[in-house]
Structure formats: C-alpha cells, structure tokens
C-alpha cells in the first residue's frame, strides 16, 4: 500500500516496436536501447516482450544489464555501449555480449583478457565524430582503427558513432558528424578484415534523417512513446508507462491552513487535503512542488506544498472525494486527460528521459497483457 508502482501497456509497447520496425527497410536492424532499466520500464519484461516481437538487437550501458537481456533473449546480439571491460570477461563470454570499444586502451585490455582465455570476442568500435564522449577521435580514427584491428582476441564486426544534436529546421552538429562518419566508413571499410556493420542514429536522427539509417539504428526514447507524436513524422509512438500510487490519508482543513515544509502553500478556503504516497525518494521531482498534477477517481488535482521525501499533498477542493487506499495516477492518463513524462518534465524543468529513469527501480513494474 505504501509504495508506488508502474503499469506498462503491453499492447502499446508492441505497437511502438512494430512502428519502429516498419519504418525501416529490410537492410536496417532496429537496435533497441534498453539501458537504465529500459528507461524505467523494467529491463527484463521490456526486452522479453520486444524479443517476442522479433527484435534481435539490443543495446545496454553495462555488462550486468546485458546479462539480464541475455536471460530473456537467447538469440539476440547485445551491444554494451559503456565499457564492458577486462574485469567483465566472464560475463562477456557467458552472456555472449558484443562490447563497444570506447578507445585504444579499452581495446588493449579486452584483447589481453581474450587472449588469456584463448577466445575471440566480437566487438564494435565507437568513433567520436563530435559528441566528445566515448570513441576514438574521428581525426585519428584511421590509425587507431588499424591498431585495434591488429589486436589478437578481438573480432571487429561493427563501427558506430553517437550524435550530439540533431534538429529539425535548425543548425546542429548532426550533419557534420554524419559526414565524418561516412568518410570513415568508406576508409575503414577498406582496411578492415571484414564488412563493418555501421550504426549512428538514435531517436531523433532516425525520425528525421532516413538517409542515415545504415545497417542499424539505435532508438531509445521513441520506443517508450516520447518524441514521435506528430502525424507528419516518419512514425508515431505512444507512452506506455503509467506511474501510480495510493492515497494515505484525507484531511478536512480550514482556510489559511499551511501545507508542507516551509508552508509554501496556504489554503484559500476550507478544503480537503490528501496525502499521497510518493516523494522525491521515489523519483517524484521536487520541482513539482506546487506544480504537479495527479488523477484520482477520474479527476485532476494540483500538487500543493513542497514535495517531500516520501509524500506529496494535493488539494481536493471542498467537494473532493477520496479515501485512503484510492489509486492515484502520478503519470499517465485518466479519461480524456493526461499527464505524461514530457509534460511532467516541462514542469520539473528537465527532460522526459530523466523523469522516466528517476522512478524508483524498486517500484513494481506490472505488464498489462493485451
Ligand atoms: C550511444 C547511444 N545510442 C543511442 C541512445 C538512444 O538515444 P535516444 O533515447 O535519444 O533514442 C543513447 C541514449 O542515451 C546512447 O547513449
């Protein structure tokens, strides 16, 4: 009763995965990005359902996430975008991961670990074309790739990069990054021992630049229903996660009654205040103090007072009906009304990615069958 929970709509999940697949030609693989607990949706159930939909490529940040994906997707290729390193060698081999090499030193460490085991590990090489994060720098990539390609114990199967920004109708670094990547694809293709599987696009590049699909695309946020809502976009997806909790108590209070820490809200009239089980420790952002909205018995009510560690307070108005144990929607829809992570993010001055991935991983993820 105390803890919030997540409901994931399996039918919408399937529709989103199919929308992504159908937007791509035969020659391009969708590589589903399921890091950070599948953006808060539950890594194992999300990946399992996607695998059942025919998805055979996944990308995660860490080796331990790849182990979870392997347990539900026995045949998939699982890329590890962070550094699956020499200390992860056992799980890299057991779970048949494909680490993405982030620099030369990473390649050397992994090569040495593979040689000690007498194995060859499939890897992709990341090129930094302008993100300034992981990857061998594009202007040194030819020499460094040649060094990596000579290392024993590694089987370089792919080449990738990540965009710093992709905008529609506004200047961004994306096109220049793609130019650099395409040139490298050509040059490295000539020195590589095998044909390289090339991938660059994450959600926005995938949505707006069909010509950048290459051999694979790595969508994340669009899978979960954000960023691809406009009818003239390449495809449409819808949010699949609702975040719910319960009313803990309801109290009748007079006018001029202070609510919460530092009394940042004072009632204007006699009203009813409900205390609800969710706070910043559960991932309910503190900037939603006096800004958030919840749905209760089909109606929307404002969050009043400061968000505290485990609870929030909402003003039900003098006629508001609620009792302890009632379900409350923190994120989601009620009839015609909705409050999804993009709207919550605006109120909390952040991005839907942060809203989704901040939800307490201990909250139960319930997959509604459809
Ligand atoms: C390397 C890489 N590829 C793809 C993605 C997916 O990005 P998005 O959720 O914007 O599609 C991410 C997400 O952070 C990433 O780090």
């Amino acid at each position: 009763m105390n803890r919030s929970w997540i409901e994931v709509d399996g039918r919408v999940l399937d529709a989103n995965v199919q929308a992504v697949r159908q937007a791509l030609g035969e020659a391009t693989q969708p590589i589903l990005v399921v890091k950070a607990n599948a953006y808060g949706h539950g890594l194992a159930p999300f990946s399992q359902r996607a695998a059942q939909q025919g998805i055979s490529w996944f990308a995660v940040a860490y080796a331990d996430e790849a182990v979870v994906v392997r347990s539900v997707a026995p045949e998939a290729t699982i890329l590890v975008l962070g550094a699956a390193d020499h200390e992860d060698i056992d799980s890299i081999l057991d779970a048949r991961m494909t680490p993405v090499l982030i620099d030369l030193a990473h390649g050397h460490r992994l090569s040495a670990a593979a040689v000690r085991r007498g194995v060859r590990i499939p890897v992709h090489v990341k090129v930094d074309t302008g993100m300034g994060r992981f990857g061998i720098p594009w202007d040194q990539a030819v020499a460094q790739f040649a060094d990596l390609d000579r290392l024993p114990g590694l089987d370089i199967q792919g080449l990738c990069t990540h965009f710093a920004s992709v905008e529609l109708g506004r200047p961004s670094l994306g096109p220049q990054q793609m130019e650099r990547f395409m040139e490298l694809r050509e040059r490295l293709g000539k020195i590589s021992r095998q044909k390289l599987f090339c991938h660059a696009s994450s959600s926005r590049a995938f949505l707006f630049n069909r010509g950048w699909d290459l051999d694979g695309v790595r969508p994340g946020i669009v899978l979960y229903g954000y960023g691809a809502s406009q009818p003239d976009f390449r495809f449409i997806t819808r949010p699949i996660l609702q975040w719910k909790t319960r009313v803990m108590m309801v109290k009748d209070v007079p006018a001029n009654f202070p609510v919460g820490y530092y009394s940042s809200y004072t009632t204007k009239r006699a009203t009813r205040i409900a205390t609800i089980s969710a706070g910043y420790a559960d991932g309910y952002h503190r900037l939603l103090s006096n800004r958030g909205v919840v749905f209760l018995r089909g109606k929307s009510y404002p969050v009043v007072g400061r968000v505290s560690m485990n609870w929030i307070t909402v003003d039900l108005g003098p006629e508001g009906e609620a009792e302890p144990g009632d379900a409350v929607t923190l994120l989601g829809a009620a009839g015609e009304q909705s409050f999804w992570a993009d709207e919550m993010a605006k109120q909390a001055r952040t991005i839907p990615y942060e809203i989704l991935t901040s939800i307490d991983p201990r909250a139960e993820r319930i997959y509604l069958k459809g």
Side-chain angles (χ1 to χ4, degrees), residues 7-39:
E7 290 175 3
V8 176
D9 187 325
R11 267 177 312 177
V12 184
L13 188 166
D14 294 348
N16 288 357
V17 169
Q18 289 311 328
V20 161
R21 282 189 78 181
Q22 283 160 14
L24 293 168
E26 284 290 299
T28 307
Q29 281 290 339
I31 307 169
L32 304 199
V33 179
V34 292
K35 61 199 177 91
N37 200 20
Y39 289 40

Side-chain angles (χ1 to χ4, degrees), residues 10 52-53 55-56 68 153 185 187 202 222 265 274 345 349 355:
Q52 284 161 356
Q53 290 281 304
I55 293 297
S56 56
V68 175
R185 182 169 88 139
R187 293 176 67 190
S202 49
V222 289
Y265 181 76
R349 302 198 192 114
I355 295 290

Side-chain angles (χ1 to χ4, degrees), residues 14-336:
D14 294 348
N16 288 357
V17 169
Q18 289 311 328
V20 161
R21 282 189 78 181
Q22 283 160 14
L24 293 168
E26 284 290 299
T28 307
Q29 281 290 339
I31 307 169
L32 304 199
V33 179
V34 292
K35 61 199 177 91
N37 200 20
Y39 289 40
H41 293 65
L43 179 57
F46 185 92
S47 307
Q48 182 169 36
R49 187 128 184 169
Q52 284 161 356
Q53 290 281 304
I55 293 297
S56 56
W57 284 70
F58 294 91
V60 295
Y62 297 108
D64 60 335
E65 296 172 321
V67 171
V68 175
V69 177
R70 175 59 73 220
S71 70
V72 295
E75 305 303 328
T77 301
I78 307 171
L79 297 177
V80 185
L81 301 169
D85 221 317
H86 58 114
E87 73 266 19
D88 304 307
I89 188 74
D90 288 335
S91 53
I92 290 173
L93 298 176
D94 286 352
R96 291 171 283 121
M97 300 172 202
T98 304
V100 174
L101 298 184
I102 61 167
D103 65 5
L104 214 46
H106 181 206
H108 278 277
R109 290 191 300 270
L110 215 49
S111 158
V115 168
R116 276 196 297 274
R117 295 299 177 91
V119 292
R120 277 182 93 202
I121 304 173
V123 296
H124 287 200
V125 172
K126 173 81 125 306
V127 184
D128 178 6
T129 54
M131 176 68 180
R133 203 172 64 178
F134 290 141
I136 54 178
W138 84 90
D139 51 353
Q140 300 160 40
V142 175
Q144 295 199 7
F145 182 92
D147 286 350
L148 287 169
D149 207 32
R150 276 193 290 271
L151 291 175
L154 300 180
D155 178 22
I156 302 181
Q157 299 184 346
L159 188 71
C160 58
T161 194
H162 190 47
F163 293 115
S165 58
V166 173
E167 296 286 357
L168 195 57
R170 265 194 289 174
S172 71
L173 199 56
Q176 196 182 3
Q177 287 187 264
M178 197 56 185
E179 229 171 85
R180 290 167 178 162
F181 190 64
M182 292 306 271
E183 191 193 322
L184 284 172
R185 182 169 88 139
E186 172 90 27
R187 293 176 67 190
L188 301 183
K190 286 187 187 135
I191 57 174
S192 169
R193 283 182 276 182
Q194 60 183 300
K195 186 179 174 321
L196 295 169
F197 179 99
C198 293
H199 48 111
S201 294
S202 49
S203 292
R204 287 175 70 77
F206 173 22
L207 267 178
F208 303 142
N209 293 282
R210 213 175 269 271
W212 297 359
D213 286 355
L214 309 181
D215 303 311
V217 296
R218 300 187 312 270
I221 197 75
V222 289
L223 284 173
Y224 308 102
Y226 292 95
S229 56
Q230 297 197 29
D232 55 336
F233 280 2
R234 187 171 174 187
F235 57 88
I236 292 179
T237 59
R238 290 192 290 128
I240 55 182
L241 172 158
Q242 299 202 63
W243 186 14
K244 298 191 176 174
T245 188
R246 295 203 187 274
V247 173
M248 302 295 288
M249 74 170 280
V250 179
K251 172 164 36 196
D252 289 307
V253 301
N256 293 318
F257 190 81
V259 179
Y261 284 120
Y262 297 94
S263 312
S264 67
Y265 181 76
T266 308
T267 57
K268 296 191 182 44
R269 56 192 177 348
T271 189
R272 314 188 81 194
I273 299 290
T275 300
I276 285 166
S277 182
Y280 56 79
D282 303 287
Y284 198 87
H285 211 294
R286 245 181 109 253
L287 283 179
L288 294 165
S289 300
N290 289 308
R291 288 211 194 104
V293 170
V294 304
F295 301 122
L296 205 170
R297 297 193 182 187
K299 296 199 175 118
S300 79
Y301 295 107
V303 171
V304 297
R306 288 206 184 169
V307 171
S308 54
M309 189 180 290
N310 301 102
W311 300 291
I312 52 176
T313 33
V314 303
D315 191 340
L316 301 177
E319 315 293 330
E321 298 272 338
E323 55 187 75
D326 277 358
V328 177
T329 302
L330 300 169
L331 201 60
E336 297 293 295

